[in-house]
Amino acid sequence: MSTPTLSLWLQDGQANHRIEDVVSLMAGDTSGQFGILPQHADLITVLEPGLFRYRQAEQPAQWRYGASTGGVLYCQRQGGTTVVRIVSRRFLLDEQPDALLAALSSMLEAEASLRVSTRDQVGKLDLALYKRMQELAQSPS
């Protein structure tokens, strides 16, 4: 009988990745680091932005790394298979955790800057709309 494994599905706004034959997964949520092995009980949790790592059956001693901007992890047993789905705004995969951390940091900074810029633009649009509504209310019909 073969060793049970996980099926890891990663989904973001740009792509879907399916990674088979995963023998263990480590991730982190607000409570800290946790691990998932094959035949894990059903679980749902919100992931913090950061790294996760996994090992595959072909090279069980070698960790492979991923990074996400945060998201939701859902682990569910489907028949004899344990499926772990992680949904995030963005994923990065690499063999080098330091490179992933640098790329993730840059990505999070860019997203924060975009949010601030968007918030400023929405504020300006709201103000312009308010002024225009006042002008229309004061003009004779």
Side-chain angles (χ1 to χ4, degrees), residues 114-133:
L114 180 61
R115 276 194 302 275
V116 168
S117 174
T118 302
R119 192 176 311 124
D120 288 347
Q121 292 299 320
V122 168
K124 289 176 184 177
L125 286 172
D126 285 346
L127 183 59
L129 179 60
Y130 177 74
K131 286 180 181 179
R132 182 66 180 137
M133 289 173 58

Side-chain angles (χ1 to χ4, degrees), residues 10 18 89 122:
L10 307 175
R18 191 169 178 168
R89 286 188 315 270
V122 168

